[in-house]
Amino acid sequence: MNYENEEFFAPGHGMCAGCGAPIIVKWILKLAGPNTIVTNATGCLEVATTAYPRTSWRVPWLHIAFENAAAAAAGVEAATKAKGEKLNIIAFGGDGGTVDIGFQALSGMVERGHNVLYVLYDNEAYMNTGIQRSGATPWGAWTTTSKVGTVNPIGKIRPKKPIAKIIAAHDAAYVATANPAIFQDFKKKVQKALDTEGAKFLHVISSCTTGWRHDPSKTVEIMRLATDTGIFPLYEIENGDFENMRITYKPKKFKPVEEYLKTQGRFRHLVKNPEYVKKIQEDVDAWWAKYGKYYRH
Amino acid sequence: MRTMIRGNESIAYAFKLARVQVVPAYPITPSTLVPEKISEFIANGEMKAEFVPVESEHSAMSAAVGASARGVRVGTATASQGLALMHEILFIASGMRLPIVIGIGNRALSAPINIWCDHQDMMAERDTGWLQFYAENNQEGLDLGIMAFKIAEDERILLPAMVGLDAFVLTHTVEPVDMPEQSDVDEFLGEFVPHYVTLDPEKPATLGSFGFPEHYMEFKFAQWVAMERAKKVIDEVFAEFEKKFGRKYQKVTPEFTEDADIIFVTIGSMSGTTREFIKKMRAQGKKVGMVKITTFRPFPKEELKEALKNAKVVAVTERNISFGFGGAVYGELGATFANMANKPKIIDFIVGLGGRDITFKTLESVLSEAEKALNGEDVSEVNWIDVNKEAVYKSEGLQ
């Protein structure tokens, strides 16, 4: 059954113009269809779509708290089994709710192998509370808790937590990174995740116009640059088999990282310093030198 | 059928007899035997349920909310630190009006870490909107465990419930119980019907949405109304249970109170010791009685007013402390009588924290202070019993 022409995520919600998350949610629900239950971590997506008594969700939806979307989904799944029914159970969480405060619940859910698709929409900081750094904030990003000044000219001084690899190391049934701006690849991975039995994890990049500091009309363009510069590579790992990980998309020619960095206010201080740009380019080149062989046509 | 079981098993059997469908649980002393026993029931095919061996109590309660929202009967068990870790989600379970039941092995809270009995864990959760019951013995644990589902799931109520059993004193102690027949419990509880909106793809609903100031207080007031209504429903369920199983339950149980000048107020297993102590004192001609609290939430104000109305002194013996004030029962009982024209002197006795035994000697110390109050002498409002006060004063630099 194809539901691409139906909307399960209704318009009229309060998400910002240019936010990446509604694009991701809308399309995942189109691919999943109506036989779906969603759990949602506290965050922009929850707050801006369910202002009582209104809702944007045309599938059953549950929000409990910030750190437990995975545990909530595990409970929904157990009850669904107890009822002898079968459906898609999808958990949505932002990066704070996934790689930081919700990490333990996520790890437990994946280890127990619940038949749940967990979707991380990663906008690389605590955007709902006002752009605070998270474990998913990249090196060098300005946030309101990794400020740039004379003593710290860099911003965040630690690299991004490699959450997809960490979840893959749980031997999860299916793990993939995805980018809605690379749309066919994104759709294929969502479908594959939905078709796979067991714990699935999608790490999806999701621009935040206010946190990344760019014009709302540039969202898709900028997200696309994240992959075309090699900063956000797209790959998949099944059952923890790192040897057979697959890079699923590679631009014909990589663009320099500066093209991505200069589009966003959060990197403005970096772009002014060629040393910093060079460091980021070297990190990206090193990643591709190490993992590039996993690109399969 | 007469059966020998430990207190923890009374919760496990209650869940089995109630045909609980999902049990998310995390091990913690002293309640670990509950999930162990459930796992055994499932492995043997004696119980058909999904056991979710979660990675924390926080996730246990989160999964319980998820499962309950999906429309099945859910039970779990924990104690002490585990209940404290659930704290955040306890408010959400009650706010979402999900009739989850937890069995608690009442245990002290750290620091220092201590695995033995007191009631601090449940008392610290008395504002979370859960019904609270305390068992005196394993039979009560079993019966209250079954009744908790019926009360919690009543469509007039829809509030989660916790049933406390004293750590080790009950959880690990083997006692004979009358094990109800499955068919009788099936008749008593009926088939599980969620009288609330569930997660159902046929009828999509949004659960756990964002409440603005113009709606939030009505949600909270609805919980208040449900708690108030629960007072009557609990009486109804207790009466129905008595009719079917022959065992009588009351929110508060007065004993030897008619002519008593001094009345002890007790909770949990200390009630048994207190009862024997009172019989002994009665034999010596002392006019003492006791009132056992079984239902702490909703707080049985009316019953307590009635049971204690003729007392001259009420000796509250309790295994919890709110630092900077006193015990929880003392505070609530005091407030219950605050607007009464005639009221007894209410004196608080902090006893048996962290598993310190409550013995006749303990109760003699309590009685001796209560008698001073009866004779018009000045007595402290809050009294710590069986404590080496000298050592503490010295270490705090007070002598």
Side-chain angles (χ1 to χ4, degrees), chain A residues 14-219:
Chain A
M15 303 288 276
C16 298
C19 173
I23 306 172
I24 296 164
V25 170
K26 167 186 159 123
W27 275 97
I28 288 177
L29 293 184
K30 278 171 181 284
L31 294 167
N35 196 31
T36 298
I37 294 177
V38 167
T39 70
N40 200 159
T42 305
C44 290
L45 179 62
E46 161 265 326
V47 169
T49 62
T50 67
Y52 179 87
R54 300 178 294 279
T55 182
S56 283
W57 299 84
R58 292 175 180 162
V59 292
W61 179 93
L62 171 69
H63 160 253
I64 305 179
F66 195 5
E67 66 282 57
N68 60 2
V76 171
E77 188 243 24
T80 302
K81 267 196 202 164
K83 290 162 84 87
E85 293 172 16
K86 210 164 157 48
L87 37 77
N88 300 310
I89 296 160
I90 304 175
F92 287 107
D95 47 296
T98 302
V99 315
D100 290 346
I101 199 168
F103 182 68
Q104 174 182 310
L106 172 62
S107 174
M109 186 278 285
V110 175
E111 178 273 324
R112 292 190 301 273
H114 291 279
N115 191 22
V116 168
L117 166 56
Y118 191 104
V119 180
L120 156 62
Y121 69 97
D122 181 7
N123 53 29
E124 304 193 315
Y126 290 88
M127 298 312 188
N128 192 40
T129 44
I131 328 171
Q132 291 77 36
R133 65 87 89 187
S134 79
T137 303
W139 182 90
W142 166 93
T143 71
T144 58
T145 53
S146 60
K147 289 223 171 118
V148 176
T150 49
V151 173
N152 173 6
I154 294 166
K156 192 191 175 201
I157 52 171
R158 293 290 305 157
K160 192 175 169 72
K161 189 188 279 192
I163 189 69
K165 287 203 279 184
I166 293 167
I167 300 305
H170 287 65
D171 295 352
Y174 183 70
V175 172
T177 59
N179 185 338
I182 314 289
F183 191 59
Q184 291 309 320
D185 182 75
F186 167 81
K187 267 175 78 175
K188 242 161 98 177
K189 284 171 173 165
V190 173
Q191 196 58 59
K192 191 165 177 180
L194 289 167
D195 292 342
T196 304
E197 194 69 25
K200 290 90 60 169
F201 182 76
L202 286 181
H203 176 188
V204 188
I205 190 168
S206 178
S207 163
C208 168
T209 64
T210 55
W212 290 15
R213 318 228 129 185
H214 64 73
D215 187 276
S217 68
K218 302 289 182 201
T219 296

Side-chain angles (χ1 to χ4, degrees), chain A residues 34 37 50-52 55 58-65 67-68 71 75-76 78-81 83 85 87 104-105 108 112, chain B residues 50 52-56 58-59 62-63 65-67 70 88-89 92 96 200-201 204-210 212 215 219:
Chain A
I37 294 177
T50 67
Y52 179 87
T55 182
R58 292 175 180 162
V59 292
W61 179 93
L62 171 69
H63 160 253
I64 305 179
E67 66 282 57
N68 60 2
V76 171
T80 302
K81 267 196 202 164
K83 290 162 84 87
E85 293 172 16
L87 37 77
Q104 174 182 310
R112 292 190 301 273
Chain B
E50 289 296 321
V52 189
V54 283
E55 82 298 330
S56 73
H58 193 282
S59 283
S62 302
V65 169
R70 182 80 176 92
E88 181 199 22
I89 312 302
I92 298 170
M96 293 180 72
D200 177 3
T206 290
L207 304 182
S209 59
F210 194 67
F212 282 79
H215 295 116
F219 281 104

